[in-house]
Amino acid sequence: MKTLMLTHPMPAAPFAEAIRAIEPALPLVEYHPRMDPAALSDVQAVLGWRFPDGLVARLPQLRWVCSVGAGVDKLLVPELPPQVSVSRIVDAEQAVGIAQFVVLMALRHARGLAHYEELQRRREWSRRPTGAVRQRVTVLGMGAVGSAIARLLRAVGFEVTGYSRRSGATLQAVLVSGDIVVCALPLTPQTSGILDADALASMPRGGYLINIARGAHVVEADLIAALRSGHLGGAALDVQAHEPMAPADPLWTQPGITITPHIAAQSSPQTIAEQFVAGWRQMQRGEFPLNRVDRSLGY
Ligand code: OXD
């Protein structure tokens, strides 16, 4: 099964090297925009992050798309034929890394670190006593990543409520009780824009939002408005609607927002290669690939 590497903006070479070390016979070709149609006509598998416009129509033999990440939203394009299997990487180490990042941001907020950073800039030594953290955190999305986040938050003292499609509670009910809200949802048509003005207004005054999922979950203009009005106390956005963010993006300069460039945690090329090769071998045997997503759900 010839495989097209579509990992841009990540370089393909580390993934290709790790795959060849496990399965030297696996035919790999790296995508470039001016590729000859003949080189695409026999591609059966894609290892990728995002489909360039119009590419799917140039892959008549496509059988399997494997995401290089945990999310598949940029690969589930409408023109993807229904019989194509889609899978993703499920990496416990990445989940732990993301959970560590969330705990870092939650503690930074709960312990008021931004205040002390500001005091240091002003050379001001003044104390504001606080107890151990016991704030309530709502984790939206209780898949592998959300569950790891909930476990680690509880371990450091937060009171955690998880929300998922199956949990029965309404979104509004769980937002009301979250001093901190963590978004770990898959991006689907149902969750796109889920954190809009109404949802943010449901959070308690002074609430804090941490997004490690996808920028499109948040209506960014509504978030900025909620911060400007003083309703929300701040936000940590590891993901943004437009990545990479343009210099003029208003999120950069909004007080209270901490921006990081989608670095909460990545899977290693080795892990991705191992899972990709396992799926490739399954596909060769006529089986479904490892970590196949339900295309009707989008995760
Ligand atoms: C993702 C990832 O899907 O980094 O965002 O794995």
Side-chain angles (χ1 to χ4, degrees):
M1 273 172 76
K2 180 168 160 185
T3 297
L4 183 66
M5 315 258 328
L6 259 186
T7 58
H8 182 79
M10 289 167 274
F15 302 111
E17 204 175 297
I19 289 170
R20 287 198 183 103
I22 306 171
E23 183 60 81
L26 200 156
L28 291 172
V29 38
E30 192 177 333
Y31 174 75
H32 62 85
R34 283 171 308 285
M35 243 170 137
D36 192 58
L40 294 173
S41 63
D42 56 348
V43 163
Q44 290 189 294
V46 161
L47 175 62
W49 174 246
R50 174 197 303 269
F51 272 117
D53 286 346
L55 181 63
V56 171
R58 301 174 67 204
L59 304 173
Q61 307 273 348
L62 187 61
R63 293 172 52 206
W64 172 41
V65 176
C66 177
S67 171
V68 272
V72 293
D73 46 287
K74 294 179 179 62
L75 294 164
L76 284 182
V77 291
E79 61 273 26
L80 195 64
Q83 72 279 8
V84 174
S85 287
V86 177
S87 65
R88 66 193 191 100
I89 302 301
V90 177
D91 177 7
E93 271 302 288
Q94 183 194 30
V96 169
I98 294 174
Q100 290 170 343
F101 176 86
V102 169
V103 168
L104 172 70
M105 291 301 165
L107 284 174
R108 180 178 188 274
H109 169 69
R111 294 300 307 255
L113 210 62
H115 168 73
Y116 291 105
E117 286 164 359
E118 175 55 27
L119 290 191
Q120 180 173 359
R121 276 192 287 275
R122 304 205 308 247
R123 300 178 183 220
E124 195 179 315
W125 200 99
S126 88
R127 304 172 69 213
R128 195 157 72 181
T130 50
V133 298
R134 296 284 176 235
Q135 278 92 334
R136 299 163 306 167
V137 183
T138 295
V139 178
L140 306 178
M142 288 297 283
V145 171
S147 304
I149 291 171
R151 266 195 304 279
L152 212 56
L153 284 167
R154 283 194 186 106
V156 298
F158 289 103
E159 191 189 303
V160 180
T161 303
Y163 168 83
S164 70
R165 207 168 43 90
R166 288 180 222 93
S167 61
T170 65
L171 177 66
Q172 211 231 357
V174 294
L175 289 176
V176 166
S177 61
D179 302 312
I180 299 174
V181 169
V182 180
C183 180
L185 291 163
L187 183 66
T188 67
Q190 289 71 37
T191 64
S192 180
I194 196 169
L195 294 169
D196 61 4
D198 285 347
L200 299 172
S202 300
M203 288 174 61
R205 197 169 175 77
Y208 192 76
L209 174 68
I210 301 175
N211 190 8
I212 51 78
R214 288 290 181 264
H217 285 118
V218 178
V219 179
E220 291 173 342
D222 292 354
L223 174 64
I224 290 175
L227 289 163
R228 287 194 180 147
S229 73
H231 178 67
L232 288 192
L237 305 179
D238 185 52
V239 287
Q240 302 84 27
H242 304 288
E243 295 180 11
M245 278 168 64
D249 195 311
L251 294 175
W252 286 120
T253 47
Q254 174 57 46
I257 292 186
T258 300
I259 296 287
T260 46
H262 205 141
I263 47 71
Q266 278 81 52
S267 293
S268 68
Q270 181 62 28
T271 299
I272 292 169
E274 281 165 13
Q275 295 193 15
F276 176 75
V277 171
W280 187 84
R281 288 175 179 158
Q282 286 166 314
M283 289 293 294
Q284 297 275 81
R285 293 196 295 265
E287 298 165 9
F288 286 132
L290 183 72
N291 303 322
R292 182 168 173 254
V293 306
D294 179 338
R295 289 188 51 184
S296 66
L297 293 176
Y299 56 91

